[in-house]
């Protein structure tokens, strides 16, 4: 299909293309809804005249919802404060304790891009999954800057509570149970790869910051002249048998991003994946639940698909939606995030390229095709030539499941392999501008990095971030390195 150049504000040297695909009909099963309530000054704020007031909502009954977040008018304005909510469960009628909502959501389109500057784009907290609820109470309190005697910042204008009902799963939806395909090869097929590192190889305190090996220096700014799209051999050196960029082979079993999209892209063995892609070092394609599989309402998103040139690096995120969900809830949770990113934040589509649940099921995120280099909105400043994977949950203190870590490793081994990259290697990306690297700076990243490596943020949570070394090693082994 013909592609048109899109006038994006990208880093020098970075490009993006769009094409207009099919416009899928809305699902037969209702795909959910968004309800909003404007926040108001709280009577208990007690601030002096002219001082910033806390805002919120008193305890009240509302239409049933499962995910919530707070948004505001100007996406360029930060919410310097704490956001807390209480909710009432539909099933029990019991009110929860106060829960924290992450007040900053740095998963975002690149600054200056049409997605970031279009009318309707709003600032937003991270969304919080609360399960089926029909009551809510909210408080947003300014946080003093500069210590006890510091000034209280004003809260952003237009604060609003957005409550998302994800709708129902369609009959016959694919199972969220993790697939064993693409997992460590058995002795019955020794040609498909070497033995892989076991769970005892998961990093702990022995790893350096960034989840890297002791020899890893992590993420550094670099203005050198190395090849930004170099490919890696088994020892991290250039591999003459690989060429950067996606192969042209057509896979009839991958219907993602087409008008014939099936609920699942099936797993392939490593031998099948090598034969299809012509890649020497690549992981087996894992089973992926497509947008059709999690019942995305395609009428919500912007019609055009947007692509970047390559996938040179993978940024790992946590969704910060909390860990109180069952694996059977994952499709509803993803539909809620999808709706929140579009209807509440004003983006063109869900920001992440892929999502992984605690059972290790991999889900397609932003539309365009699972094997394609889809331009996401996940790592402000570094969405070009990268891929964003969100592990559903919050991992500031809690450990991600082994199944989730292994799924990220399988996904990265396959997707980086398509584009000729070593998961244990490094990649150069051009900054589109973030709070860590100015626009136009060329930055060296681990091929599998955390969101915080490109942006000053807590994401993907300290515990998940410390597991990135394990993911890199496992993904490299899956490629046969």
């Amino acid at each position: 299909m013909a592609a048109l150049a899109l006038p994006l504000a990208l880093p020098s040297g970075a490009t993006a293309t769009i094409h207009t695909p099919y416009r899928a009909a809305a699902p037969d099963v209702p795909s959910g809804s968004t309800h909003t309530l404007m926040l108001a000054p709280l009577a208990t704020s007690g601030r002096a005249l002219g001082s910033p007031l806390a805002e919120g909502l008193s305890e009240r009954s509302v239409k049933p919802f499962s995910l919530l977040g707070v948004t505001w008018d100007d996406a360029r304005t930060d919410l310097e404060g704490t956001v807390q909510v209480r909710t009432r469960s539909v099933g029990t009628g019991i009110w929860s304790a106060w829960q924290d909502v992450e007040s900053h959501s740095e998963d975002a389109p690149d600054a200056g891009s049409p997605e970031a500057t279009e009318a309707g784009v709003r600032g937003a907290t991270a969304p919080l999954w609360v399960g089926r609820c029909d009551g809510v109470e909210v408080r947003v309190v300014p946080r003093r800057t500069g210590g006890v005697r510091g000034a209280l910042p004003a809260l952003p204008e237009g604060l609003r509570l957005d409550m998302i009902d994800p709708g129902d799963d369609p009959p016959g939806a694919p199972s969220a149970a993790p697939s064993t395909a693409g997992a460590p090869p058995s002795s019955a097929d020794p040609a498909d790869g070497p033995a892989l590192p076991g769970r005892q190889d998961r990093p702990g305190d022995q790893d350096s910051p960034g989840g890297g090996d002791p020899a890893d220096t992590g993420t550094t700014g670099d203005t050198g002249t190395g090849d930004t799209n170099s490919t890696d051999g088994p020892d991290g050196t250039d591999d003459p048998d690989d060429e950067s960029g996606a192969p042209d082979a057509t896979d009839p079993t991958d219907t993602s991003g087409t008008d014939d999209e099936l609920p699942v892209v099936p797993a392939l063995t490593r031998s099948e994946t090598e034969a299809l892609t012509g890649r020497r070092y690549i992981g087996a394609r894992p089973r992926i639940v497509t947008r059709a599989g999690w019942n995305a309402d395609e009428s919500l998103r912007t019609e055009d698909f947007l692509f970047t040139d390559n996938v040179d690096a993978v940024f790992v995120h946590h969704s910060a939606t909390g860990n109180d969900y069952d694996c059977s809830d994952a499709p509803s949770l993803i539909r809620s995030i999808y709706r929140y990113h579009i209807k509440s934040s004003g983006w063109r589509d869900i920001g992440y390229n892929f999502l992984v649940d605690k059972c290790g099921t991999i889900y397609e995120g932003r539309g365009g095709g699972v094997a394609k280099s889809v331009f996401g909105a996940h790592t402000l400043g570094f969405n070009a030539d990268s891929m964003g994977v969100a592990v559903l949950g919050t991992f500031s203190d809690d450990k991600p499941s082994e199944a989730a870590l292994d799924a990220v490793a399988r996904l990265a081994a396959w997707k980086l392999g398509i584009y000729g990259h070593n998961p244990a290697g490094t990649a150069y990306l051009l900054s589109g501008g973030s709070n860590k690297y100015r626009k136009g700076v060329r930055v060296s990243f681990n091929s599998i990095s955390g969101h915080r490596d490109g942006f000053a943020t807590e994401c993907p949570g300290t515990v998940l971030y410390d597991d990135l070394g394990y993911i890199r090693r496992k993904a490299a082994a899956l490629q046969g390195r």
Side-chain angles (χ1 to χ4, degrees):
M1 189 175 294
L4 301 174
L6 180 70
L8 280 174
L10 297 173
S12 176
T15 61
T17 57
I18 60 171
H19 75 268
T20 303
Y22 74 102
R23 166 59 75 189
D28 293 333
V29 176
S31 60
S33 58
T34 302
H35 302 287
T36 65
L37 290 170
M38 298 302 298
L39 304 193
L42 294 177
T44 57
S45 295
R47 303 295 183 198
L49 185 64
S51 297
L53 293 173
E55 293 190 25
L57 294 170
S58 59
E59 183 180 297
R60 66 191 61 204
S61 296
V62 293
K63 293 180 179 180
F65 69 98
S66 296
L67 178 141
L68 57 76
V70 172
T71 67
W72 55 92
D73 291 343
D74 189 350
R76 298 167 299 179
T77 301
D78 291 332
L79 195 167
E80 299 292 347
T82 58
V83 181
Q84 294 182 310
V85 299
R86 294 174 63 235
T87 56
R88 184 179 62 202
S89 168
V90 168
T92 67
I94 297 174
W95 282 88
S96 72
W98 285 103
Q99 301 180 75
D100 293 327
V101 179
E102 288 203 10
S103 59
H104 297 284
S105 181
E106 296 87 1
D107 307 332
D110 286 341
S113 68
E115 187 167 9
T117 57
E118 287 179 356
V121 174
R122 294 176 62 81
T125 67
L128 178 68
W129 177 261
V130 294
R132 194 74 169 162
C133 293
D134 61 2
V136 70
E137 183 177 5
V138 183
R139 61 189 184 197
V140 181
V141 181
R143 181 169 47 242
R144 195 177 298 277
T145 59
V148 176
R149 298 182 181 277
L152 275 173
L155 293 174
E157 294 183 0
L159 286 172
R160 185 181 81 187
L161 176 68
D162 286 46
M163 296 165 286
I164 312 299
D165 172 11
D168 299 324
D169 291 329
S175 169
S179 170
T180 57
S186 68
S187 57
D189 190 8
D192 261 6
L196 299 179
R199 192 66 180 89
Q200 67 275 12
D201 189 48
R202 176 175 173 173
D205 294 337
Q206 77 274 17
D207 269 3
S208 61
D213 294 320
D216 240 339
T217 56
T219 320
T220 58
D222 193 323
T223 56
T225 58
D227 181 3
T228 60
N229 291 313
S230 63
T231 56
D232 300 315
D235 58 355
T237 59
D238 287 355
D239 181 1
D241 293 335
D242 272 337
E243 294 180 0
S244 187
D248 295 328
T250 300
D251 177 7
T253 68
D254 178 5
T255 59
S256 60
T258 73
D259 54 2
D260 298 316
E261 184 173 85
L262 297 175
V264 170
V265 174
L268 300 176
T269 67
R270 187 169 162 220
S271 297
E272 291 169 335
T273 307
E274 287 177 348
L276 179 68
T277 63
R279 292 302 192 194
R280 180 180 175 186
Y281 299 105
I282 190 169
R285 185 181 72 194
R287 173 183 181 268
I288 302 170
V289 176
T290 66
R291 294 166 66 90
W294 53 263
N295 200 35
D297 182 350
E298 301 292 355
S299 68
L300 294 179
R301 63 169 172 82
T302 301
E303 187 170 7
D304 298 329
F305 291 148
L306 180 60
F307 299 97
T308 185
D309 289 337
N310 295 291
V311 175
D312 297 332
V314 173
F315 286 103
V316 178
H317 304 250
H318 66 176
S319 63
T321 47
N323 300 318
D324 190 18
Y325 74 94
D326 295 326
C327 292
S328 59
D329 294 328
S332 294
L333 174 51
I334 294 169
R335 286 198 303 276
S336 297
I337 296 171
Y338 173 58
R339 178 173 281 273
Y340 186 74
H341 283 179
I342 295 173
K343 304 299 286 186
S344 300
S345 298
W347 300 354
R348 62 184 295 122
D349 197 344
I350 191 170
Y352 308 116
N353 297 105
F354 294 91
L355 303 97
V356 174
D357 70 18
K358 64 176 69 173
C359 286
T361 303
I362 301 170
Y363 299 86
E364 177 186 16
R366 181 162 288 210
V370 297
K372 302 290 183 61
S373 53
V374 177
F375 199 105
H378 49 82
T379 306
L380 179 62
F382 295 100
N383 289 309
D385 295 334
S386 71
M387 178 180 91
V389 182
V391 181
L392 295 175
T394 303
F395 303 107
S396 302
D397 300 302
D398 295 340
K399 287 183 176 294
S401 68
E402 180 179 356
L405 297 179
D406 289 348
V408 175
R410 294 199 312 274
L411 177 62
W414 168 67
K415 194 65 179 276
L416 287 173
I418 291 175
Y419 293 84
H421 294 298
N422 182 350
T426 57
Y428 285 93
L429 298 177
L430 288 169
S431 173
S434 75
N435 65 0
K436 194 167 183 177
Y437 298 104
R438 69 180 185 276
K439 185 175 181 178
V441 171
R442 206 165 64 95
V443 184
S444 174
F445 289 98
N446 288 310
S447 294
I448 300 176
S449 287
H451 183 187
R452 65 173 64 176
D453 291 323
F455 194 97
T457 174
E458 160 68 15
C459 185
T462 299
V463 183
L464 177 53
Y465 187 71
D466 287 344
D467 279 333
L468 295 187
Y470 167 78
I471 292 173
R472 293 182 197 113
R473 291 191 294 274
K474 190 146 196 172
L478 284 165
Q479 286 190 349
R481 297 180 187 271

